[in-house]
Amino acid sequence: MKTIQLLVFCFFIQWSHAQEKSLLWEVSGNGLTKPSYVYGTIHMICPNDYFMTDSTKAAFKKTEQVYLELDMDDPTLMSKMMQLMMLTNGKKMKDYLKPEEYTLLSDYFKAKMGANLDQMGGMKPFALMSMLYTTLLSCQPQSYELVFTQMASSAKKEVLGLETVELQMGVFDQIPYEKQAGLLADMVRKKDESTKEFGEMVTLYKKQDLEGLLKLMDNSEWDFNGYEDILLANRNTAWVPIMEKAMKSKSTFFAVGAGHLGGAKGVLQLLKKQGYTVKAVL
């Protein structure tokens, strides 16, 4: 009888966990006087796929300050980003690509963006990858981060960043440029597959399926395998103390890439380990 009860209990726990598909999570307990909220974003999405639930708007309204990955209302942000996107080692993209890959990418960017790699060759691979992703969308992409920044401005709420732009962009300097450039060429070479995968990611996002997104990223042909800790886990660990300090000060709305939330090393699990109650808001 005890064995049957245990099996039923385990099934119930697994079933309950499977139902917890949400981008919005409430953080409470552990001495907090007011709850805070964590929201998972997607950095680029077409306007016809963009959505924001009433519960998200309500949570945003209840909080007193906003934390994004970066301080989006910093007037120096764009100039810093532009500077950090450029190679500073005297090399160009052609130094990290095979001749045929360079021609492939150069022709692609010329066709899609009106400028070839000779004109953009001083940019770092990750900057070109961000530009490439915009070409996989058949639209002018919308940004959740920009929307939340505008909402904060209208509500006269302060916007702060969990990390500096130097730290965020420096993450990609820890991944060999040759590997990044190779992935970039492969995404163009297999454009249909990479476009399909991006579409699957958007579908999972709209389903608010954090674990599904994490699985897709893990199985991606264009993932930075072996560098997950640099891209996600290490940053998650660094963010949690900042989040704790913010939440103890004021009720806070956090919005970060959805890939940072799920899994054993995700922000939600790390907050639970610190003693907070973390529950999905549907």
Side-chain angles (χ1 to χ4, degrees), residues 133-180:
Y133 269 112
T134 65
T135 70
L136 301 183
L137 296 168
S138 56
C139 65
Q140 181 63 38
Q142 190 157 349
S143 163
Y144 277 92
E145 286 79 9
L146 182 58
V147 171
F148 285 130
T149 301
Q150 292 168 341
M151 288 170 63
S153 177
S154 297
K156 293 181 169 50
K157 294 181 182 182
E158 187 175 11
V159 176
L160 298 157
L162 288 168
E163 61 190 10
T164 65
V165 66
E166 290 88 353
L167 191 153
Q168 185 172 104
M169 292 195 168
V171 164
F172 291 94
D173 291 331
Q174 299 177 58
I175 302 172
Y177 290 157
E178 290 85 357
K179 181 176 180 61
Q180 297 182 53

mmCIF file of all heavy atoms in Angstrom, residues 133-180:
data_model
loop_
_atom_site.group_PDB
_atom_site.id
_atom_site.type_symbol
_atom_site.label_atom_id
_atom_site.label_comp_id
_atom_site.label_asym_id
_atom_site.label_seq_id
_atom_site.Cartn_x
_atom_site.Cartn_y
_atom_site.Cartn_z
ATOM 1 N N TYR A 133 20.096 36.960 -36.538
ATOM 2 C CA TYR A 133 18.809 36.529 -35.988
ATOM 3 C C TYR A 133 17.665 37.424 -36.463
ATOM 4 O O TYR A 133 16.550 36.949 -36.682
ATOM 5 C CB TYR A 133 18.853 36.510 -34.456
ATOM 6 C CG TYR A 133 19.277 35.165 -33.892
ATOM 7 C CD1 TYR A 133 20.490 35.012 -33.241
ATOM 8 C CD2 TYR A 133 18.453 34.048 -34.023
ATOM 9 C CE1 TYR A 133 20.881 33.786 -32.729
ATOM 10 C CE2 TYR A 133 18.826 32.814 -33.514
ATOM 11 C CZ TYR A 133 20.045 32.690 -32.868
ATOM 12 O OH TYR A 133 20.422 31.466 -32.368
ATOM 13 N N THR A 134 17.928 38.696 -36.636
ATOM 14 C CA THR A 134 16.863 39.588 -37.116
ATOM 15 C C THR A 134 16.443 39.217 -38.532
ATOM 16 O O THR A 134 15.292 39.435 -38.912
ATOM 17 C CB THR A 134 17.292 41.069 -37.086
ATOM 18 O OG1 THR A 134 18.362 41.288 -38.016
ATOM 19 C CG2 THR A 134 17.729 41.489 -35.691
ATOM 20 N N THR A 135 17.369 38.631 -39.314
ATOM 21 C CA THR A 135 17.025 38.237 -40.686
ATOM 22 C C THR A 135 16.195 36.955 -40.712
ATOM 23 O O THR A 135 15.582 36.636 -41.732
ATOM 24 C CB THR A 135 18.289 38.038 -41.551
ATOM 25 O OG1 THR A 135 18.994 36.857 -41.133
ATOM 26 C CG2 THR A 135 19.205 39.243 -41.468
ATOM 27 N N LEU A 136 16.181 36.201 -39.596
ATOM 28 C CA LEU A 136 15.371 34.992 -39.533
ATOM 29 C C LEU A 136 13.911 35.313 -39.251
ATOM 30 O O LEU A 136 13.042 34.450 -39.387
ATOM 31 C CB LEU A 136 15.900 34.045 -38.436
ATOM 32 C CG LEU A 136 17.351 33.571 -38.579
ATOM 33 C CD1 LEU A 136 17.689 32.601 -37.454
ATOM 34 C CD2 LEU A 136 17.596 32.915 -39.929
ATOM 35 N N LEU A 137 13.646 36.546 -38.879
ATOM 36 C CA LEU A 137 12.278 36.990 -38.610
ATOM 37 C C LEU A 137 11.735 37.725 -39.832
ATOM 38 O O LEU A 137 12.425 38.533 -40.434
ATOM 39 C CB LEU A 137 12.248 37.930 -37.401
ATOM 40 C CG LEU A 137 12.671 37.329 -36.053
ATOM 41 C CD1 LEU A 137 12.873 38.441 -35.040
ATOM 42 C CD2 LEU A 137 11.637 36.338 -35.547
ATOM 43 N N SER A 138 10.516 37.463 -40.158
ATOM 44 C CA SER A 138 9.890 38.143 -41.296
ATOM 45 C C SER A 138 9.136 39.378 -40.806
ATOM 46 O O SER A 138 7.969 39.587 -41.147
ATOM 47 C CB SER A 138 8.933 37.184 -42.009
ATOM 48 O OG SER A 138 7.974 36.679 -41.091
ATOM 49 N N CYS A 139 9.815 40.176 -40.000
ATOM 50 C CA CYS A 139 9.144 41.328 -39.389
ATOM 51 C C CYS A 139 10.202 42.262 -38.797
ATOM 52 O O CYS A 139 11.387 41.937 -38.755
ATOM 53 C CB CYS A 139 8.213 40.870 -38.262
ATOM 54 S SG CYS A 139 9.119 40.123 -36.865
ATOM 55 N N GLN A 140 9.733 43.402 -38.324
ATOM 56 C CA GLN A 140 10.564 44.285 -37.517
ATOM 57 C C GLN A 140 10.379 43.842 -36.069
ATOM 58 O O GLN A 140 9.294 44.013 -35.511
ATOM 59 C CB GLN A 140 10.128 45.742 -37.688
ATOM 60 C CG GLN A 140 10.960 46.758 -36.906
ATOM 61 C CD GLN A 140 12.423 46.791 -37.347
ATOM 62 O OE1 GLN A 140 12.719 46.672 -38.527
ATOM 63 N NE2 GLN A 140 13.317 46.935 -36.395
ATOM 64 N N PRO A 141 11.387 43.211 -35.449
ATOM 65 C CA PRO A 141 11.176 42.591 -34.133
ATOM 66 C C PRO A 141 10.844 43.584 -33.033
ATOM 67 O O PRO A 141 11.227 44.750 -33.077
ATOM 68 C CB PRO A 141 12.511 41.894 -33.857
ATOM 69 C CG PRO A 141 13.507 42.586 -34.714
ATOM 70 C CD PRO A 141 12.762 43.021 -35.937
ATOM 71 N N GLN A 142 10.102 43.068 -32.064
ATOM 72 C CA GLN A 142 9.724 43.833 -30.879
ATOM 73 C C GLN A 142 10.538 43.348 -29.694
ATOM 74 O O GLN A 142 10.955 42.193 -29.642
ATOM 75 C CB GLN A 142 8.225 43.665 -30.596
ATOM 76 C CG GLN A 142 7.679 44.607 -29.526
ATOM 77 C CD GLN A 142 6.177 44.804 -29.662
ATOM 78 O OE1 GLN A 142 5.577 44.414 -30.662
ATOM 79 N NE2 GLN A 142 5.570 45.404 -28.663
ATOM 80 N N SER A 143 10.771 44.221 -28.721
ATOM 81 C CA SER A 143 11.618 43.906 -27.575
ATOM 82 C C SER A 143 10.847 44.059 -26.269
ATOM 83 O O SER A 143 10.293 45.123 -25.985
ATOM 84 C CB SER A 143 12.840 44.838 -27.552
ATOM 85 O OG SER A 143 13.463 44.848 -26.288
ATOM 86 N N TYR A 144 10.798 42.973 -25.473
ATOM 87 C CA TYR A 144 10.164 43.052 -24.159
ATOM 88 C C TYR A 144 10.917 44.025 -23.254
ATOM 89 O O TYR A 144 10.310 44.760 -22.473
ATOM 90 C CB TYR A 144 10.128 41.668 -23.505
ATOM 91 C CG TYR A 144 8.972 40.822 -23.971
ATOM 92 C CD1 TYR A 144 9.115 39.963 -25.051
ATOM 93 C CD2 TYR A 144 7.735 40.883 -23.349
ATOM 94 C CE1 TYR A 144 8.060 39.186 -25.495
ATOM 95 C CE2 TYR A 144 6.673 40.102 -23.774
ATOM 96 C CZ TYR A 144 6.836 39.262 -24.854
ATOM 97 O OH TYR A 144 5.778 38.497 -25.295
ATOM 98 N N GLU A 145 12.250 44.014 -23.371
ATOM 99 C CA GLU A 145 13.054 44.903 -22.529
ATOM 100 C C GLU A 145 12.707 46.364 -22.790
ATOM 101 O O GLU A 145 12.595 47.165 -21.843
ATOM 102 C CB GLU A 145 14.539 44.648 -22.781
ATOM 103 C CG GLU A 145 15.071 43.362 -22.172
ATOM 104 C CD GLU A 145 14.724 42.107 -22.978
ATOM 105 O OE1 GLU A 145 14.215 42.241 -24.109
ATOM 106 O OE2 GLU A 145 14.955 41.003 -22.460
ATOM 107 N N LEU A 146 12.526 46.709 -24.054
ATOM 108 C CA LEU A 146 12.167 48.085 -24.400
ATOM 109 C C LEU A 146 10.776 48.424 -23.886
ATOM 110 O O LEU A 146 10.546 49.519 -23.360
ATOM 111 C CB LEU A 146 12.237 48.278 -25.916
ATOM 112 C CG LEU A 146 11.923 49.686 -26.435
ATOM 113 C CD1 LEU A 146 12.861 50.721 -25.808
ATOM 114 C CD2 LEU A 146 12.027 49.736 -27.955
ATOM 115 N N VAL A 147 9.845 47.470 -23.998
ATOM 116 C CA VAL A 147 8.486 47.696 -23.501
ATOM 117 C C VAL A 147 8.497 47.935 -21.996
ATOM 118 O O VAL A 147 7.867 48.873 -21.494
ATOM 119 C CB VAL A 147 7.567 46.511 -23.848
ATOM 120 C CG1 VAL A 147 6.220 46.644 -23.131
ATOM 121 C CG2 VAL A 147 7.341 46.423 -25.349
ATOM 122 N N PHE A 148 9.229 47.097 -21.258
ATOM 123 C CA PHE A 148 9.284 47.266 -19.800
ATOM 124 C C PHE A 148 9.966 48.582 -19.421
ATOM 125 O O PHE A 148 9.586 49.227 -18.436
ATOM 126 C CB PHE A 148 10.000 46.087 -19.151
ATOM 127 C CG PHE A 148 9.187 44.822 -19.100
ATOM 128 C CD1 PHE A 148 9.717 43.613 -19.537
ATOM 129 C CD2 PHE A 148 7.885 44.840 -18.622
ATOM 130 C CE1 PHE A 148 8.972 42.452 -19.501
ATOM 131 C CE2 PHE A 148 7.124 43.682 -18.574
ATOM 132 C CZ PHE A 148 7.656 42.483 -19.012
ATOM 133 N N THR A 149 10.960 48.980 -20.186
ATOM 134 C CA THR A 149 11.613 50.272 -19.930
ATOM 135 C C THR A 149 10.629 51.412 -20.136
ATOM 136 O O THR A 149 10.575 52.357 -19.334
ATOM 137 C CB THR A 149 12.828 50.449 -20.856
ATOM 138 O OG1 THR A 149 13.763 49.382 -20.623
ATOM 139 C CG2 THR A 149 13.538 51.773 -20.591
ATOM 140 N N GLN A 150 9.838 51.340 -21.189
ATOM 141 C CA GLN A 150 8.831 52.372 -21.460
ATOM 142 C C GLN A 150 7.751 52.374 -20.392
ATOM 143 O O GLN A 150 7.294 53.448 -19.958
ATOM 144 C CB GLN A 150 8.220 52.143 -22.852
ATOM 145 C CG GLN A 150 9.198 52.393 -23.987
ATOM 146 C CD GLN A 150 8.687 51.884 -25.331
ATOM 147 O OE1 GLN A 150 7.778 51.049 -25.396
ATOM 148 N NE2 GLN A 150 9.271 52.379 -26.412
ATOM 149 N N MET A 151 7.324 51.194 -19.951
ATOM 150 C CA MET A 151 6.319 51.097 -18.882
ATOM 151 C C MET A 151 6.852 51.696 -17.584
ATOM 152 O O MET A 151 6.124 52.383 -16.863
ATOM 153 C CB MET A 151 5.934 49.630 -18.662
ATOM 154 C CG MET A 151 5.087 49.034 -19.779
ATOM 155 S SD MET A 151 4.898 47.220 -19.639
ATOM 156 C CE MET A 151 4.011 47.068 -18.070
ATOM 157 N N ALA A 152 8.125 51.435 -17.290
ATOM 158 C CA ALA A 152 8.737 51.986 -16.080
ATOM 159 C C ALA A 152 8.818 53.505 -16.160
ATOM 160 O O ALA A 152 8.554 54.204 -15.170
ATOM 161 C CB ALA A 152 10.134 51.393 -15.892
ATOM 162 N N SER A 153 9.167 54.007 -17.322
ATOM 163 C CA SER A 153 9.248 55.456 -17.501
ATOM 164 C C SER A 153 7.895 56.112 -17.287
ATOM 165 O O SER A 153 7.783 57.135 -16.597
ATOM 166 C CB SER A 153 9.780 55.775 -18.902
ATOM 167 O OG SER A 153 9.808 57.169 -19.118
ATOM 168 N N SER A 154 6.848 55.507 -17.841
ATOM 169 C CA SER A 154 5.496 56.051 -17.692
ATOM 170 C C SER A 154 5.044 56.034 -16.244
ATOM 171 O O SER A 154 4.338 56.936 -15.788
ATOM 172 C CB SER A 154 4.511 55.248 -18.548
ATOM 173 O OG SER A 154 4.825 55.359 -19.921
ATOM 174 N N ALA A 155 5.460 54.986 -15.508
ATOM 175 C CA ALA A 155 5.070 54.854 -14.103
ATOM 176 C C ALA A 155 6.064 55.508 -13.158
ATOM 177 O O ALA A 155 5.898 55.428 -11.937
ATOM 178 C CB ALA A 155 4.935 53.376 -13.756
ATOM 179 N N LYS A 156 7.091 56.154 -13.744
ATOM 180 C CA LYS A 156 8.132 56.816 -12.949
ATOM 181 C C LYS A 156 8.809 55.844 -11.974
ATOM 182 O O LYS A 156 9.050 56.160 -10.808
ATOM 183 C CB LYS A 156 7.557 58.025 -12.203
ATOM 184 C CG LYS A 156 7.122 59.143 -13.139
ATOM 185 C CD LYS A 156 6.591 60.339 -12.382
ATOM 186 C CE LYS A 156 6.396 61.553 -13.282
ATOM 187 N NZ LYS A 156 5.636 61.277 -14.526
ATOM 188 N N LYS A 157 9.121 54.658 -12.499
ATOM 189 C CA LYS A 157 9.843 53.659 -11.717
ATOM 190 C C LYS A 157 11.287 53.595 -12.206
ATOM 191 O O LYS A 157 11.539 53.693 -13.404
ATOM 192 C CB LYS A 157 9.198 52.272 -11.860
ATOM 193 C CG LYS A 157 7.811 52.186 -11.265
ATOM 194 C CD LYS A 157 7.248 50.781 -11.417
ATOM 195 C CE LYS A 157 5.829 50.727 -10.868
ATOM 196 N NZ LYS A 157 5.242 49.378 -10.955
ATOM 197 N N GLU A 158 12.198 53.411 -11.278
ATOM 198 C CA GLU A 158 13.608 53.337 -11.641
ATOM 199 C C GLU A 158 13.912 52.012 -12.337
ATOM 200 O O GLU A 158 13.423 50.948 -11.938
ATOM 201 C CB GLU A 158 14.482 53.467 -10.396
ATOM 202 C CG GLU A 158 15.973 53.558 -10.707
ATOM 203 C CD GLU A 158 16.824 53.817 -9.482
ATOM 204 O OE1 GLU A 158 16.309 53.727 -8.348
ATOM 205 O OE2 GLU A 158 18.022 54.116 -9.664
ATOM 206 N N VAL A 159 14.718 52.073 -13.391
ATOM 207 C CA VAL A 159 15.195 50.875 -14.086
ATOM 208 C C VAL A 159 16.666 50.678 -13.742
ATOM 209 O O VAL A 159 17.473 51.606 -13.866
ATOM 210 C CB VAL A 159 15.032 51.009 -15.618
ATOM 211 C CG1 VAL A 159 15.633 49.788 -16.323
ATOM 212 C CG2 VAL A 159 13.568 51.162 -15.992
ATOM 213 N N LEU A 160 17.003 49.472 -13.319
ATOM 214 C CA LEU A 160 18.379 49.146 -12.944
ATOM 215 C C LEU A 160 18.816 47.887 -13.685
ATOM 216 O O LEU A 160 17.994 47.184 -14.272
ATOM 217 C CB LEU A 160 18.471 48.935 -11.431
ATOM 218 C CG LEU A 160 18.107 50.167 -10.582
ATOM 219 C CD1 LEU A 160 17.690 49.754 -9.185
ATOM 220 C CD2 LEU A 160 19.278 51.121 -10.528
ATOM 221 N N GLY A 161 20.112 47.593 -13.648
ATOM 222 C CA GLY A 161 20.643 46.433 -14.355
ATOM 223 C C GLY A 161 21.275 45.431 -13.412
ATOM 224 O O GLY A 161 21.931 45.813 -12.433
ATOM 225 N N LEU A 162 21.107 44.143 -13.711
ATOM 226 C CA LEU A 162 21.722 43.086 -12.917
ATOM 227 C C LEU A 162 23.210 42.935 -13.221
ATOM 228 O O LEU A 162 23.950 42.356 -12.424
ATOM 229 C CB LEU A 162 21.009 41.757 -13.175
ATOM 230 C CG LEU A 162 19.604 41.629 -12.588
ATOM 231 C CD1 LEU A 162 18.895 40.412 -13.161
ATOM 232 C CD2 LEU A 162 19.649 41.551 -11.069
ATOM 233 N N GLU A 163 23.631 43.442 -14.383
ATOM 234 C CA GLU A 163 25.034 43.405 -14.741
ATOM 235 C C GLU A 163 25.354 44.567 -15.668
ATOM 236 O O GLU A 163 24.444 45.184 -16.234
ATOM 237 C CB GLU A 163 25.390 42.069 -15.409
ATOM 238 C CG GLU A 163 24.640 41.785 -16.690
ATOM 239 C CD GLU A 163 24.837 40.350 -17.183
ATOM 240 O OE1 GLU A 163 25.401 39.523 -16.447
ATOM 241 O OE2 GLU A 163 24.414 40.076 -18.321
ATOM 242 N N THR A 164 26.609 44.868 -15.807
ATOM 243 C CA THR A 164 27.027 45.957 -16.692
ATOM 244 C C THR A 164 27.112 45.445 -18.130
ATOM 245 O O THR A 164 27.249 44.240 -18.372
ATOM 246 C CB THR A 164 28.400 46.512 -16.283
ATOM 247 O OG1 THR A 164 29.386 45.481 -16.468
ATOM 248 C CG2 THR A 164 28.393 46.977 -14.830
ATOM 249 N N VAL A 165 27.049 46.365 -19.069
ATOM 250 C CA VAL A 165 27.172 45.984 -20.472
ATOM 251 C C VAL A 165 28.566 45.423 -20.750
ATOM 252 O O VAL A 165 28.734 44.514 -21.580
ATOM 253 C CB VAL A 165 26.840 47.182 -21.393
ATOM 254 C CG1 VAL A 165 27.869 48.293 -21.255
ATOM 255 C CG2 VAL A 165 26.734 46.736 -22.841
ATOM 256 N N GLU A 166 29.570 45.922 -20.037
ATOM 257 C CA GLU A 166 30.930 45.402 -20.195
ATOM 258 C C GLU A 166 30.994 43.925 -19.788
ATOM 259 O O GLU A 166 31.624 43.111 -20.465
ATOM 260 C CB GLU A 166 31.920 46.210 -19.359
ATOM 261 C CG GLU A 166 32.154 47.621 -19.862
ATOM 262 C CD GLU A 166 31.161 48.633 -19.297
ATOM 263 O OE1 GLU A 166 30.201 48.215 -18.614
ATOM 264 O OE2 GLU A 166 31.340 49.830 -19.553
ATOM 265 N N LEU A 167 30.323 43.596 -18.688
ATOM 266 C CA LEU A 167 30.328 42.212 -18.220
ATOM 267 C C LEU A 167 29.553 41.331 -19.191
ATOM 268 O O LEU A 167 30.009 40.240 -19.560
ATOM 269 C CB LEU A 167 29.720 42.131 -16.817
ATOM 270 C CG LEU A 167 29.887 40.803 -16.062
ATOM 271 C CD1 LEU A 167 29.853 41.046 -14.564
ATOM 272 C CD2 LEU A 167 28.827 39.782 -16.453
ATOM 273 N N GLN A 168 28.371 41.788 -19.620
ATOM 274 C CA GLN A 168 27.537 40.961 -20.491
ATOM 275 C C GLN A 168 28.221 40.668 -21.820
ATOM 276 O O GLN A 168 28.261 39.530 -22.283
ATOM 277 C CB GLN A 168 26.187 41.622 -20.745
ATOM 278 C CG GLN A 168 25.239 40.747 -21.550
ATOM 279 C CD GLN A 168 23.839 41.302 -21.639
ATOM 280 O OE1 GLN A 168 23.436 41.832 -22.665
ATOM 281 N NE2 GLN A 168 23.072 41.171 -20.562
ATOM 282 N N MET A 169 28.758 41.694 -22.442
ATOM 283 C CA MET A 169 29.403 41.479 -23.731
ATOM 284 C C MET A 169 30.750 40.783 -23.583
ATOM 285 O O MET A 169 31.209 40.094 -24.495
ATOM 286 C CB MET A 169 29.546 42.810 -24.471
ATOM 287 C CG MET A 169 28.209 43.372 -24.898
ATOM 288 S SD MET A 169 28.378 44.681 -26.128
ATOM 289 C CE MET A 169 26.672 44.846 -26.642
ATOM 290 N N GLY A 170 31.363 40.951 -22.416
ATOM 291 C CA GLY A 170 32.633 40.273 -22.153
ATOM 292 C C GLY A 170 32.478 38.765 -22.059
ATOM 293 O O GLY A 170 33.455 38.024 -22.230
ATOM 294 N N VAL A 171 31.253 38.303 -21.789
ATOM 295 C CA VAL A 171 30.985 36.869 -21.729
ATOM 296 C C VAL A 171 31.387 36.206 -23.042
ATOM 297 O O VAL A 171 31.983 35.131 -23.073
ATOM 298 C CB VAL A 171 29.490 36.618 -21.429
ATOM 299 C CG1 VAL A 171 29.089 35.182 -21.750
ATOM 300 C CG2 VAL A 171 29.189 36.926 -19.960
ATOM 301 N N PHE A 172 31.083 36.865 -24.170
ATOM 302 C CA PHE A 172 31.361 36.282 -25.476
ATOM 303 C C PHE A 172 32.856 36.320 -25.823
ATOM 304 O O PHE A 172 33.299 35.585 -26.704
ATOM 305 C CB PHE A 172 30.538 36.988 -26.554
ATOM 306 C CG PHE A 172 29.064 36.698 -26.448
ATOM 307 C CD1 PHE A 172 28.223 37.538 -25.746
ATOM 308 C CD2 PHE A 172 28.530 35.563 -27.035
ATOM 309 C CE1 PHE A 172 26.868 37.259 -25.636
ATOM 310 C CE2 PHE A 172 27.182 35.268 -26.940
ATOM 311 C CZ PHE A 172 26.341 36.126 -26.231
ATOM 312 N N ASP A 173 33.592 37.165 -25.135
ATOM 313 C CA ASP A 173 35.041 37.176 -25.353
ATOM 314 C C ASP A 173 35.709 35.952 -24.729
ATOM 315 O O ASP A 173 36.872 35.673 -25.002
ATOM 316 C CB ASP A 173 35.650 38.454 -24.763
ATOM 317 C CG ASP A 173 35.239 39.703 -25.534
ATOM 318 O OD1 ASP A 173 34.978 39.589 -26.743
ATOM 319 O OD2 ASP A 173 35.162 40.791 -24.914
ATOM 320 N N GLN A 174 34.958 35.221 -23.886
ATOM 321 C CA GLN A 174 35.489 34.004 -23.266
ATOM 322 C C GLN A 174 35.259 32.761 -24.134
ATOM 323 O O GLN A 174 35.731 31.676 -23.799
ATOM 324 C CB GLN A 174 34.843 33.797 -21.892
ATOM 325 C CG GLN A 174 35.101 34.931 -20.910
ATOM 326 C CD GLN A 174 34.380 34.715 -19.591
ATOM 327 O OE1 GLN A 174 34.578 33.700 -18.923
ATOM 328 N NE2 GLN A 174 33.533 35.656 -19.208
ATOM 329 N N ILE A 175 34.513 32.947 -25.217
ATOM 330 C CA ILE A 175 34.247 31.848 -26.151
ATOM 331 C C ILE A 175 35.080 32.096 -27.400
ATOM 332 O O ILE A 175 35.027 33.193 -27.954
ATOM 333 C CB ILE A 175 32.753 31.780 -26.508
ATOM 334 C CG1 ILE A 175 31.914 31.600 -25.244
ATOM 335 C CG2 ILE A 175 32.489 30.655 -27.499
ATOM 336 C CD1 ILE A 175 30.423 31.719 -25.459
ATOM 337 N N PRO A 176 35.879 31.133 -27.839
ATOM 338 C CA PRO A 176 36.752 31.371 -29.006
ATOM 339 C C PRO A 176 36.002 31.966 -30.190
ATOM 340 O O PRO A 176 34.926 31.485 -30.561
ATOM 341 C CB PRO A 176 37.278 29.963 -29.329
ATOM 342 C CG PRO A 176 37.221 29.228 -28.036
ATOM 343 C CD PRO A 176 36.013 29.748 -27.322
ATOM 344 N N TYR A 177 36.562 33.015 -30.769
ATOM 345 C CA TYR A 177 35.916 33.673 -31.907
ATOM 346 C C TYR A 177 35.768 32.714 -33.093
ATOM 347 O O TYR A 177 34.811 32.817 -33.857
ATOM 348 C CB TYR A 177 36.721 34.897 -32.340
ATOM 349 C CG TYR A 177 36.692 36.055 -31.368
ATOM 350 C CD1 TYR A 177 37.706 37.012 -31.358
ATOM 351 C CD2 TYR A 177 35.653 36.203 -30.457
ATOM 352 C CE1 TYR A 177 37.686 38.083 -30.474
ATOM 353 C CE2 TYR A 177 35.629 37.269 -29.562
ATOM 354 C CZ TYR A 177 36.647 38.205 -29.575
ATOM 355 O OH TYR A 177 36.616 39.263 -28.708
ATOM 356 N N GLU A 178 36.714 31.786 -33.224
ATOM 357 C CA GLU A 178 36.619 30.810 -34.312
ATOM 358 C C GLU A 178 35.349 29.971 -34.190
ATOM 359 O O GLU A 178 34.689 29.680 -35.199
ATOM 360 C CB GLU A 178 37.844 29.887 -34.315
ATOM 361 C CG GLU A 178 39.149 30.548 -34.735
ATOM 362 C CD GLU A 178 39.862 31.264 -33.591
ATOM 363 O OE1 GLU A 178 39.311 31.300 -32.468
ATOM 364 O OE2 GLU A 178 40.961 31.801 -33.824
ATOM 365 N N LYS A 179 35.019 29.576 -32.957
ATOM 366 C CA LYS A 179 33.808 28.776 -32.727
ATOM 367 C C LYS A 179 32.563 29.605 -33.045
ATOM 368 O O LYS A 179 31.637 29.121 -33.703
ATOM 369 C CB LYS A 179 33.753 28.279 -31.282
ATOM 370 C CG LYS A 179 32.531 27.415 -30.985
ATOM 371 C CD LYS A 179 32.554 26.856 -29.593
ATOM 372 C CE LYS A 179 31.340 26.000 -29.293
ATOM 373 N NZ LYS A 179 31.203 24.824 -30.168
ATOM 374 N N GLN A 180 32.548 30.848 -32.585
ATOM 375 C CA GLN A 180 31.401 31.713 -32.851
ATOM 376 C C GLN A 180 31.230 31.954 -34.345
ATOM 377 O O GLN A 180 30.115 31.896 -34.877
ATOM 378 C CB GLN A 180 31.579 33.048 -32.133
ATOM 379 C CG GLN A 180 31.618 32.950 -30.613
ATOM 380 C CD GLN A 180 31.753 34.315 -29.981
ATOM 381 O OE1 GLN A 180 30.981 35.227 -30.263
ATOM 382 N NE2 GLN A 180 32.734 34.478 -29.111
#
